[in-house]
Amino acid sequence: MVTKSEEDQLNRLEAQVDNAGGGAWEYLCLVRKLKVRRPDKVLKHGLAILNDSKKRSALGTEEWTLCEQVAVAAMDCQSLDVAKDCIKVLRKRFPDSKRVGKLEGMLLEAKGLWAEAEKAYSSFLEDNPFDQVIHKRRVALAKAQGNITTAIECLNKYLDTFMADHDAWRELAEIYISLQMYKQAAFCYEELILSQPTNPLHHLAYADVLYTIGGLENLQAAKKYYASTINLTGGKNRRALFGVCLCTSAIGQLSKGRNKEDKDSPELQLLAVAALEKDYKQRAPGKLPLLTSALKSLRVSS
């Protein structure tokens, strides 16, 4: 996951390259390092280097890394002729490379030749059943065709082997949410919280799912995970603060007529409201009346 400082560094370097024309190689290296997708910029600046014989020769063996990077960016931008040319150069240099074979499979995907791409990926998995990249390409292939059921099956099969892949758990959760399969999504986020207990985004996403499922027990659990998100972010996550208020209101409605032990404690809600009011006074004082009105409609206030 890219941090704020890394994103700022990338944006500064991108502006420098766009305005002054220098630092293109450093920019491309940073894009690779951070594993972010800036295909239009990568295609533009990568081709500028590859088409300049002096700059290209100065790269040494890194020329092939750049060819691969430009090929992927070209496929993202649907510049399939450029991608084909880059892959052709790589195949000539590395005739037996499975890595180049994966690029060829991706090119088949980009062309919409689904059956041929699937055949190529199945062949790779026969040689190496533990190739994570190919497993993920099959998921992408199924999603591109709108075959969500197959994508879910592929992801679940993949996670049976690679249980520590956080990105795969998160992708599976997002697919389940898109299908309104919230209990299955909740399971995915539970796995993520177990493996990365200090990541506030997992706590927040899990709380959102529990709130969506509803019911007193789930709402109480959602409030706890919103609270843990607030704790992990130093009280700076507005979504979690609003989540506490929403849960408090919903729990209050469901707890009417119940025993005292079933009812919710107001302390956290009061702290959340105070934090929201302070934040709005500092950042958007003109919208403070809207916040006050919204909190009153939830029957929560400081």
Side-chain angles (χ1 to χ4, degrees):
M1 189 175 296
V2 180
T3 65
K4 182 67 166 61
S5 61
E6 288 172 334
E7 187 176 352
D8 289 342
Q9 180 187 2
L10 185 63
N11 290 333
R12 284 196 300 271
L13 195 51
E14 185 176 291
Q16 175 188 325
V17 175
D18 287 340
N19 295 330
W25 174 244
E26 290 76 10
Y27 170 75
L28 294 167
C29 289
L30 186 59
V31 168
R32 283 201 307 276
K33 178 184 174 182
L34 300 181
K35 297 181 180 179
V36 295
R37 295 182 77 150
R38 301 282 177 95
D40 54 335
K41 300 293 184 182
V42 169
L43 184 58
K44 175 184 176 183
H45 301 307
L47 278 178
I49 294 174
L50 291 176
N51 290 333
D52 186 315
S53 58
K54 186 176 179 181
K55 291 179 180 178
R56 183 169 181 163
S57 60
L59 295 178
T61 57
E62 292 288 354
E63 173 188 345
W64 315 116
T65 302
L66 181 57
C67 272
E68 180 183 38
Q69 187 178 11
V70 170
V72 174
M75 285 185 270
D76 280 346
C77 295
Q78 280 296 298
S79 298
L80 301 186
D81 288 339
V82 174
K84 182 180 177 181
D85 290 342
C86 289
I87 295 171
K88 186 177 179 181
V89 169
L90 289 167
R91 175 55 74 194
K92 184 177 180 180
R93 177 63 179 82
F94 306 101
D96 300 318
S97 170
K98 293 188 181 296
R99 185 162 175 165
V100 177
K102 293 170 188 177
L103 289 175
E104 290 169 339
M106 291 171 65
L107 184 59
L108 291 172
E109 281 187 68
K111 291 178 176 179
L113 300 174
W114 314 121
E116 292 181 37
E118 176 61 33
K119 185 178 178 181
Y121 293 150
S122 296
S123 176
F124 278 118
L125 290 177
E126 285 177 8
D127 294 337
N128 180 11
F130 302 105
D131 192 319
Q132 290 180 265
V133 173
I134 295 300
H135 278 289
K136 290 184 176 183
R137 288 314 320 162
R138 292 188 74 195
V139 174
L141 185 62
K143 289 174 70 176
Q145 296 175 83
N147 195 342
I148 303 303
T149 301
T150 301
I152 290 173
E153 290 174 358
C154 290
L155 272 171
N156 276 308
K157 184 178 179 181
Y158 171 80
L159 286 165
D160 284 341
T161 305
F162 304 102
M163 291 177 285
D165 192 324
H166 308 130
D167 291 334
W169 280 114
R170 189 164 54 248
E171 183 173 5
L172 183 57
E174 290 170 357
I175 292 175
Y176 280 138
I177 288 171
S178 72
L179 298 174
Q180 299 183 13
M181 298 170 70
Y182 298 113
K183 290 183 179 179
Q184 291 86 340
F187 175 80
C188 295
Y189 286 121
E190 287 165 4
E191 290 290 330
L192 284 166
I193 290 170
L194 282 171
S195 60
Q196 292 185 311
T198 58
N199 188 325
L201 296 179
H202 301 334
H203 290 250
L204 180 61
Y206 185 48
D208 285 343
V209 169
L210 292 173
Y211 178 83
T212 302
I213 294 172
L216 183 59
E217 186 177 335
N218 286 320
L219 288 168
Q220 288 172 335
K223 186 172 180 178
K224 290 177 183 178
Y225 280 94
Y226 282 129
S228 65
T229 303
I230 294 167
N231 183 49
L232 289 167
T233 57
K236 295 178 181 179
N237 191 297
R238 252 174 263 124
R239 185 182 182 90
L241 292 169
F242 275 115
V244 166
C245 296
L246 287 166
C247 287
T248 299
S249 176
I251 291 169
Q253 293 295 315
L254 291 175
S255 299
K256 284 182 179 178
R258 291 178 179 263
N259 295 328
K260 272 189 177 180
E261 55 266 25
D262 292 332
K263 294 185 178 179
D264 204 47
S265 174
E267 287 84 0
L268 180 59
Q269 165 241 310
L270 293 174
L271 289 171
V273 170
L276 282 169
E277 289 177 340
K278 180 180 178 182
D279 189 45
Y280 270 71
K281 283 177 183 176
Q282 292 177 345
R283 296 174 180 270
K287 294 184 179 180
L288 188 58
L290 291 175
L291 173 69
T292 304
S293 175
L295 294 175
K296 281 184 178 179
S297 70
L298 295 173
R299 297 183 180 179
V300 294
S301 57
S302 57

